[in-house]
Amino acid sequence: MAAPRHFLQFNDFSREEFEYLFARARRIKAQFKSYQQYWPLVDRTLVMIFEKASTRTRLSFEAGMQQLGGSAIYLNTRDSQLGRGEPVEDAAQVISRMSDIVMIRTFEQDIIERFAANSRVPVINGLTNEYHPCQILADIFTYVEMRGSIEGRTVAWIGDSNNVCNTWLQAAEVFDFNVNVSTPPGYEVEAERAGLYGTNHYREFADPMAAARDADLVTTDVWTSMGFEAENEERLRDFEDWQVDAEMMRVAKPDALFMHCLPAHRGEEVAAEVIDGPQSAVWDEAENRLHAQKALLEYLVLGRVTT
Ligand code: CP
Ligand code: NVA
């Protein structure tokens, strides 16, 4: 049996594969919007394993699989043997014999890597401490829909160098764009943890306003990610000056977009007038999780299709 393809971090796929996925996502989205039934995954089962909370990821994968004619099963740590110490390798053997594709949201990247190494079916990263590749798949699809190619553009990342930031940095290497990163001292990018090739696609700025200057896209995320709640109070103090506000959007390009993976905290990492303002793309970004991941599910289960 050939080893399955997985999507565990963004640079697992080539730029050409992403271009294919975007073309499929455009088609799948248009079909969905015109109420055309498209059921390529009849009798196929997606298992979704959540070790952290989720609204968008669960909904988009579960609805997406059903819309493709398949079914989705939700497992979480609390109600399954995963929370009682069953080795992840054993869980992978069993779960992958009963399903066609698996999505996992968990803590360390090592957990999903070990699952994938023991899985007979493709595994998708639905967020780990290190990466969130499905988010950036949808975000770049959204950028291209709204503004055209992202190649050569400048993305400003303001805030924590977390899983979403790391994935933007990988995407910059794949698509050849630049990321201006501004984090508070002590929260800088760790290139090795971000899994970068070292191709100089990002620059670090002490001043968030300098990072945002002339950017085509300004983006941020929560100051405290899931799993880091114990640091919340300290982070509220450390990140105080890293809020994306109207003044920051004014120094970016006049047609710059604002993105946020959501959930957002208005008054912390983003001002209400920005996320609820005319440059904000957050609702399209969230919706496109559905369409982009349907293309991903189709690709990983069936390979390339021509329908
Ligand atoms: N952006 C995102 O992944 O949202 P959820 O945590 O709600 O899945
Ligand atoms: N960085 C956030 C993203 C949530 C979708 C977290 O990991 O909690």
Side-chain angles (χ1 to χ4, degrees), residues 5-10 12-13 17-18 20-22 24-26 28 41 46 61 65 68 101-103 122-126 133-135 137-138 288-304:
R5 276 306 289 285
H6 304 296
F7 189 48
L8 304 182
Q9 47 185 295
F10 198 85
D12 282 346
F13 284 6
E17 283 178 299
F18 284 113
Y20 168 80
L21 287 177
F22 292 162
R24 289 303 301 162
R26 269 192 292 278
I28 287 169
L41 299 185
L46 165 71
F61 272 107
M65 195 62 189
L68 293 171
I101 186 158
V102 177
M103 186 242 79
V123 178
I124 297 171
N125 182 345
C134 294
Q135 183 67 52
L137 173 72
N288 281 335
R289 293 288 302 278
L290 175 71
H291 310 302
Q293 289 164 195
K294 283 166 76 176
L296 178 66
L297 288 166
E298 180 196 59
Y299 180 55
L300 287 174
V301 176
L302 300 179
R304 292 189 193 226

Side-chain angles (χ1 to χ4, degrees), residues 23-77:
R24 289 303 301 162
R26 269 192 292 278
R27 188 177 169 86
I28 287 169
K29 180 173 181 175
Q31 279 172 332
F32 178 70
K33 296 275 182 190
S34 60
Y35 300 98
Q36 288 175 53
Q37 196 178 76
Y38 179 54
W39 284 2
L41 299 185
V42 169
D43 289 339
R44 307 297 182 115
T45 304
L46 165 71
V47 171
M48 308 182 297
I49 301 167
F50 283 91
E51 299 209 81
K52 292 176 178 170
S54 168
T55 298
R56 280 145 289 267
T57 303
R58 178 178 177 181
L59 185 57
S60 52
F61 272 107
E62 190 163 337
M65 195 62 189
Q66 284 174 15
Q67 289 162 18
L68 293 171
S71 55
I73 295 173
Y74 171 80
L75 293 180
N76 66 30
T77 314

Side-chain angles (χ1 to χ4, degrees), residues 87-97 114-116 118-120:
V88 69
E89 290 82 1
D90 294 1
Q93 292 281 355
V94 174
I95 291 167
S96 71
R97 282 171 185 242
R114 281 161 50 211
F115 191 104
N118 289 276
S119 173
R120 291 183 168 196

Side-chain angles (χ1 to χ4, degrees), residues 194-230:
L196 301 179
Y197 295 129
T199 54
N200 293 327
H201 282 77
Y202 78 96
R203 279 175 66 196
E204 295 194 88
F205 293 76
D207 175 7
M209 290 295 279
R213 197 168 303 282
D214 295 327
D216 298 283
L217 167 63
V218 180
T219 185
T220 186
D221 187 12
V222 290
W223 290 341
T224 305
S225 286
M226 291 181 281
F228 297 83
E229 289 81 1

